[in-house]
Amino acid sequence: MSLATQMPFFSQNWPIITLGLVCYLSFRVISHFFKKTTSTDGPDSTGDAKKTGVYRTPDQVAEIKEDEDWDEETEFPDISSALPADLEHIPFNFERFTPEEMVKRSEEFYRLMNRRRTIRFFSSEPVPFKVIENVVRAAGTGPSGAHTEPWTFVVVSDQEVKEKIRQIIEDEEEVNYKKRMGVQWTTDLRPLRTNWIKEYLTEAPYIILVFKQMYGIKPDGGKKIHYYNEMSVAMASGLLLTAVHYSGLVSLTSTPLNCGPALRTLLGRPASEKLTLLLPVGYPAKDATVPNLSRKPIEDIMVHI
Ligand code: IYR
């Protein structure tokens, strides 16, 4: 008896079965490749990390199902922590206020922050460099994944470099506004009166460019994982805006689309860094205007359970 007569199902359905197998394998290959090219939260996104357990980014950990067969006990004798293994823990110096003082301070701080506005018209009047240094220091106090401090703040005051930055951004933004962003986006922006011409890039005395370091380099040359680098840099950027405002200057939060690689190259930053925020900083122009916006009331932004 032949195999075909022994197994009538396979002999009759082999084209379907083969097609199904090819589809399944193609799907696995494509999804593996997609994961490889889209994961940016750590140095090793090839999937080897998951296999070996040596490097695991938060994304990879989230992917590992509880029932998956992975060996926690595996030993890696040559693994060392990025921070010193014997890092000292010291008493925390806490300044305590009375409840009344806390309410007063929080109200004052809210009122101060509520006066922050995004400004698109800058004066070229110089501002003390010390202020810029201090606001960057304040940004650098932000929390970061495993205290990796995955940020670089590039401060530009050189007029020629500012002109080059403006050229790169205006060239790209013209295409963004005219072609890439689409009708809905440009319509949503119309009330804010933004466009691709950005005089503030050459008017403001300083431009601070915030780069996220997707990974670092250990003293031994190995890659250092920057856990949650995106979130860490976002929080540091919030502190930067706050510090600029508290110091008495204004800024414009901007994220120029498609300009990251050209600006990174212009500023001599390594490929491990990605531009996340570009912030002109200075005094507002005398005749600066702002859109008359209001902010959502507390009932709309807070849920108390
Ligand atoms: N990056 C462009 C467009 C832009 C996008 C958003 I979302 C804004 O809130 C404002 C502008 C620009 O800077 O003009």
Side-chain angles (χ1 to χ4, degrees):
M1 236 200 295
S2 76
L3 199 65
T5 45
Q6 278 174 6
M7 304 174 75
F9 177 78
F10 286 102
S11 64
Q12 281 163 22
N13 297 297
W14 69 264
I16 301 284
I17 293 166
T18 312
L19 189 68
L21 215 61
V22 168
C23 287
Y24 172 71
L25 289 175
S26 312
F27 170 76
R28 289 297 300 258
V29 168
I30 290 167
S31 61
H32 177 77
F33 178 76
F34 193 70
K35 252 186 229 156
K36 216 167 151 175
T37 52
T38 53
S39 174
T40 57
D41 211 15
D44 189 336
S45 53
T46 60
D48 292 351
K50 200 166 140 188
K51 261 181 261 152
T52 63
V54 177
Y55 298 128
R56 278 203 190 105
T57 67
D59 280 351
Q60 288 169 337
V61 172
E63 259 180 40
I64 298 172
K65 312 261 180 324
E66 250 189 83
D67 58 358
E68 205 164 308
D69 184 23
W70 58 292
D71 182 13
E72 274 236 303
E73 302 303 311
T74 312
E75 277 181 31
F76 300 104
D78 53 348
I79 290 291
S80 61
S81 54
L83 289 169
D86 58 353
L87 185 64
E88 194 187 1
H89 285 224
I90 54 173
F92 173 52
N93 190 359
F94 180 62
E95 189 182 359
R96 195 182 167 104
F97 302 109
T98 65
E100 297 73 34
E101 277 169 335
M102 287 195 291
V103 171
K104 184 166 169 280
R105 288 170 67 93
S106 58
E107 271 171 13
E108 280 169 3
F109 189 68
Y110 159 64
R111 273 202 297 276
L112 169 78
M113 291 315 295
N114 198 27
R115 292 179 54 200
R116 186 200 58 79
R117 295 302 308 263
T118 288
I119 297 298
R120 291 180 196 281
F121 308 96
F122 281 74
S123 153
S124 57
E125 192 182 339
V127 308
F129 180 69
K130 196 75 202 159
V131 177
I132 301 300
E133 201 176 82
N134 284 336
V135 297
V136 171
R137 272 206 183 101
T141 67
S144 61
H147 193 64
T148 46
E149 304 172 278
W151 38 64
T152 306
F153 302 90
V154 178
V155 173
V156 177
S157 59
D158 185 290
Q159 196 60 27
E160 260 179 50
V161 178
K162 284 195 278 177
E163 270 153 29
K164 285 184 184 153
I165 291 175
R166 179 172 171 186
Q167 190 68 54
I168 289 171
I169 293 181
E170 287 189 341
D171 287 353
E172 209 59 48
E173 287 282 51
E174 184 169 3
V175 187
N176 292 337
Y177 272 87
K178 288 183 176 169
K179 294 192 181 142
R180 297 189 185 121
M181 285 155 66
V183 183
Q184 183 64 64
W185 195 347
T186 50
T187 305
D188 283 338
L189 287 181
R190 207 163 294 141
L192 301 176
R193 300 188 197 166
T194 64
N195 62 34
W196 60 88
I197 301 177
K198 295 174 182 316
E199 276 162 19
Y200 53 75
L201 291 172
T202 42
E203 284 300 304
Y206 289 101
I207 304 176
I208 304 178
L209 297 100
V210 184
F211 286 85
K212 70 170 179 185
Q213 300 169 354
M214 289 172 295
Y215 55 87
I217 307 293
K218 286 184 186 174
D220 68 2
K223 280 183 177 177
K224 183 174 131 195
I225 307 181
H226 284 176
Y227 307 95
Y228 300 107
N229 55 70
E230 174 94 18
M231 178 52 127
S232 306
V233 174
M235 291 187 285
S237 301
L239 295 179
L240 181 64
L241 294 184
T242 307
V244 167
H245 176 62
Y246 182 77
S247 305
L249 297 174
V250 297
S251 67
L252 161 53
T253 37
S254 79
T255 51
L257 204 61
N258 282 353
C259 303
L263 293 174
R264 182 175 63 72
T265 306
L266 173 73
L267 301 169
R269 300 311 305 163
S272 55
E273 297 189 0
K274 237 181 174 169
L275 181 68
T276 59
L277 177 70
L278 185 148
L279 205 68
V281 176
Y283 292 106
K286 288 237 150 51
D287 55 357
T289 57
V290 290
N292 190 9
L293 299 172
S294 57
R295 293 189 160 105
K296 287 180 178 174
I298 188 73
E299 306 77 52
D300 289 2
I301 63 169
M302 186 172 83
V303 178
H304 185 183
I305 297 169

